[in-house]
Amino acid sequence: MPDLYNRIFENNKRWVAEKNETDPNFFNRLSKGQNPPILWIGCSDSRVPANEITGTEPGEIFVHRNIANMVVHTDMNMLSVLDYAVNVLEVKHVIVCGHYGCGGINAALENKQVGIIDNWLRHIKDVYRLHKAEIDAIQDIDQKSRRMVEINVQEQVFDLSKTSIIQNAWAQNQTVYIHGIVYDVSNGILKDLNLNISNNQHLDSVYKLDIDQIIGNN
Ligand code: CO
């Protein structure tokens, strides 16, 4: 009985054969480079694979995933992906995708020590603290978690718009929309939170960067 590790190679052979049959130029085309219009920032959760749930093909979505789809502005990994996506690939859309039933969100709502991950969950706890009145007013644990998932996505969208990378792009009239969406693991449906931010007008003055100065420095 082959285990999953062995199966991935058999699956891969079958997938290559299928691709070559339906689209003989598929691999040749992708070998020339990528031009994805979307950057996806999602959760590492195995149930939320970016391409499959969006019906997209290799080459269409540039992906960054971490626990609870966080935009941590000191995270060099996230910043490097964002910088490359916005400034080199020139993506038109940046999507933060959360999902109901997120283990990271649920852990952040509790007080149990988990280990080194507690330090990552701190970022989610900061979001919780910011919206504590609304979250704590919800009695049902499942509803509380669902609302926290949505609020967390919203805050990560705002955190993206606070980065110099995104503010620079907007200042130079590059079209970049930032979206917040939530995936429901229980039925497969994607919900758009309709944030669709494309400028820094909504930002508190504390976070707005001096645009003239940015352009002058580039
Ligand atoms: Co998750």
Side-chain angles (χ1 to χ4, degrees), residues 43 45 68-69 99 102-104:
C43 184
D45 194 302
N69 41 270
H99 67 101
C102 184

Side-chain angles (χ1 to χ4, degrees), residues 6-24:
N6 291 317
R7 277 215 321 269
I8 65 173
F9 296 98
E10 292 160 24
N11 291 347
N12 170 257
K13 274 186 203 143
R14 196 161 51 240
W15 177 73
V16 170
E18 278 169 17
K19 281 290 171 203
N20 280 327
E21 195 172 311
T22 56
D23 184 359

